[in-house]
Amino acid sequence: MKPQCLVLLAVLLVTTACTRADADRAGTRPTADALSLLREWDHQRSRAWAGGDPAALADLYAPGSRTGRRDHDLLAAYAGRGLRVIGLRTQVLGAALRFRAPGRMTLEVTDRVVGGRAVGRGLRIPLPRDRPSTRLVTLRRVAGTWRVAEVRPAPRPPRP
């Protein structure tokens, strides 16, 4: 890894740690709680992909979710080629709770997918590293469980 990349990674880690500590002191515990929920969701999604389990994946999404349908179709495409995706991890670089109401919340998340290998029939193909992107993740509480309703790109701030 290039020295510049190591410096950038160190700055990101320190900035993220300081931002989280400052946010907790400022009384934004709901953001930390929502982020913890999303991390657990990501972990369950990774398990569903590793197991090639479309039913487990579908349980993570709210009924009628277009995002869930796209994720399911992608999982089916890998499975159709005899592949599973293991080691799928999401690295969160920043998050903020943008909306919360009973049974619904929206987080703005900057993250990237790291790791991940497509495996099957003697193949082990590393997935390409994802670039950071910022999205709005809307969750809904369905039958007592938080599920992802939709994920869409976050609006970009206007250019000066």
Side-chain angles (χ1 to χ4, degrees):
M1 185 176 270
K2 293 182 179 180
Q4 301 92 329
C5 293
L6 290 173
V7 170
L8 179 59
L9 180 60
V11 169
L12 283 172
L13 291 173
V14 169
T15 302
T16 301
C18 292
T19 302
R20 282 195 190 129
D22 290 344
D24 285 346
R25 281 195 297 275
T28 56
R29 188 74 203 156
T31 296
D33 292 343
L35 185 55
S36 177
L37 175 78
L38 189 58
R39 283 193 174 124
E40 176 57 29
W41 185 92
D42 279 330
H43 178 72
Q44 291 177 22
R45 179 177 178 262
S46 178
R47 284 197 326 234
W49 271 84
D53 188 345
L57 187 65
D59 283 345
L60 298 173
Y61 289 94
S65 168
R66 292 182 307 262
T67 303
R69 171 55 52 199
R70 286 191 299 269
D71 206 17
H72 176 272
D73 291 349
L74 191 55
L75 175 68
Y78 273 93
R81 293 181 301 212
L83 299 171
R84 293 178 301 115
V85 176
I86 62 171
L88 194 59
R89 291 187 345 263
T90 302
Q91 179 184 33
V92 175
L93 303 172
L97 185 62
R98 295 293 179 217
F99 174 80
R100 183 167 184 131
R104 185 179 167 106
M105 71 175 111
T106 300
L107 282 150
E108 183 174 316
V109 180
T110 300
D111 63 12
R112 65 180 173 188
V113 175
V114 295
R117 295 175 304 286
V119 298
R121 298 186 210 135
L123 295 174
R124 293 184 75 76
I125 305 164
L127 298 180
R129 276 189 93 95
D130 190 22
R131 300 185 86 177
S133 57
T134 302
R135 292 181 280 275
L136 295 174
V137 179
T138 300
L139 296 109
R140 277 193 1 231
R141 200 162 180 80
V142 178
T145 302
W146 285 101
R147 298 183 184 192
V148 169
E150 294 301 337
V151 178
R152 64 185 191 281
R156 291 187 178 173
R159 291 183 181 225

